Amino acid sequence: MPSPKAKGNGGRSGGSPGISSGGRYEFMSLSRSPSPQLLQRQGSDPTTARLRASESPTRRRGSGSPLGFSGAPSSSATGAQQLPEEDCMRLNPSFIGIAISSLLAIDLWLSKRLGVCACEDSSWGSIRPLMKLIEISGHGIPWLAGVLYCLYKSDSAAGQEVMLNLLMALILDLVLVAVVKAIVRRRRPSHNRMDMFATFSVDRYSFPSGHATRAALCARFLLAHLVLAAPLRVLVLLWAVTVGLSRVLLGRHNVTDVAFGFGMGYCQYNLVEALWVSPVGLHLAMGQWS
């Protein structure tokens, strides 16, 4: 049983510093400077100093010193505690990531199944010329040419106003679709044949469908600003739906490209209504510009 004097001295024996009377090592505070007697004992007992150095955790991991040259922990010491992020396996992927991946897989599968007119030797290859005719009816160049002709031939101020805003809507549609395609850069389906009419540089991208945006925009514009009989209104709606459907049947776009295009064209009409320009306002703007 150790004497009270040994307990008051921290349990250290006089023979070796830092060792208790029971033969166990004790930890000393690093913030306190060692006493001169302890330094003298360590200097006079090299065997004990080498023993402590060999028992150091950083020595056992193969590091020359617990700290690097800059005072930070060495790479071997930190590497044993924390693995690189790329070596860690993600066992709990996010629900949103799984849902998006599943929807994209379904989109690609469904688009390939519906591309029945992608080639002449496809299951519905015989109606490919009809689908290409519908494709041309939703192209931007025929619409721009037709609106310019109607604007030139129109005699009434109301007709000129409608055609002028429809022309601005078509130009706005071309710009917005080109910007979104350049940002997203989604490739067209692999079963598509690049034999489209009057393509541009951004037409090699698939998202969104410019034909779908134009069909939705023009259909909503015509139904709102032209006085049409009921059969003609139904015909306009059927034309817009057929244009979007032809994009998938021909293999030009995926289903999500057409669906987003319809939504984008529907919203573009609201923007056109907010920026509606009258001929009087246009003449005033042109006068101020000149």
Side-chain angles (χ1 to χ4, degrees):
M1 181 175 179
S3 62
K5 183 178 180 180
K7 289 185 178 180
N9 200 18
R12 294 191 300 268
S13 63
S16 60
I19 303 179
S20 64
S21 60
R24 294 177 300 176
Y25 288 99
E26 291 184 350
F27 293 97
M28 295 181 295
S29 175
L30 296 178
S31 61
R32 288 189 307 180
S33 59
S35 61
Q37 293 83 358
L38 181 59
L39 292 176
Q40 184 178 3
R41 291 173 186 172
Q42 290 178 350
S44 62
D45 193 358
T47 305
T48 305
R50 287 196 299 268
L51 180 59
R52 285 178 178 168
S54 64
E55 291 295 329
S56 175
T58 55
R59 289 286 185 179
R60 287 197 300 268
R61 284 192 293 264
S63 172
S65 61
L67 297 179
F69 292 105
S70 61
S74 60
S75 59
S76 61
T78 56
Q81 298 175 0
Q82 183 177 4
L83 293 175
E85 185 177 356
E86 59 269 13
D87 293 340
C88 298
M89 182 183 297
R90 291 187 176 181
L91 299 179
N92 296 319
S94 63
F95 176 77
I96 298 178
I98 295 177
I100 293 177
S101 300
S102 301
L103 289 177
L104 289 178
I106 295 174
D107 177 38
L108 295 177
W109 173 80
L110 184 60
S111 302
K112 191 171 183 178
R113 291 294 301 270
L114 293 177
V116 294
C117 304
C119 301
E120 285 79 4
D121 55 351
S122 300
S123 57
W124 289 13
S126 58
I127 64 171
R128 181 178 172 83
L130 177 60
M131 292 293 103
K132 293 189 69 175
L133 182 62
I134 297 175
E135 176 184 65
I136 295 175
S137 70
H139 200 277
I141 293 180
W143 273 95
L144 288 173
V147 171
L148 286 174
Y149 179 79
C150 293
L151 181 62
Y152 175 73
K153 288 293 185 177
S154 180
D155 296 331
S156 62
Q160 291 179 356
E161 180 177 354
V162 171
M163 291 296 106
L164 175 63
N165 285 273
L166 181 56
L167 178 63
M168 295 180 60
L170 292 173
I171 296 175
L172 178 65
D173 173 70
L174 290 174
V175 173
L176 292 180
V177 170
V179 170
V180 176
K181 283 186 174 182
I183 293 175
V184 179
R185 296 189 177 187
R186 185 184 189 184
R187 294 291 179 179
R188 290 187 181 271
S190 58
H191 55 280
N192 173 50
R193 287 181 55 188
M194 291 299 293
D195 57 349
M196 294 181 290
F197 170 73
T199 59
F200 299 93
S201 60
V202 294
D203 287 332
R204 65 179 181 271
Y205 301 125
S206 177
F207 186 88
S209 171
H211 282 70
T213 60
R214 193 173 303 111
L217 172 64
C218 293
R220 192 178 180 192
F221 190 97
L222 295 178
L223 293 176
H225 295 281
L226 295 183
V227 180
L228 300 175
L232 291 179
R233 298 176 71 87
V234 174
L235 186 62
V236 169
L237 290 176
L238 288 177
W239 167 81
V241 174
T242 306
V243 168
L245 182 61
S246 68
R247 310 309 292 159
V248 181
L249 297 180
L250 288 171
R252 308 295 195 198
H253 294 277
N254 297 309
V255 176
T256 53
D257 303 334
V258 176
F260 186 85
F262 278 140
M264 183 176 174
Y266 188 88
C267 296
Q268 282 177 351
Y269 174 78
N270 297 331
L271 183 60
V272 172
E273 287 291 330
L275 302 176
W276 189 269
V277 178
S278 63
V280 176
L282 181 63
H283 286 311
L284 292 177
M286 293 297 294
Q288 294 178 358
W289 178 263
S290 59

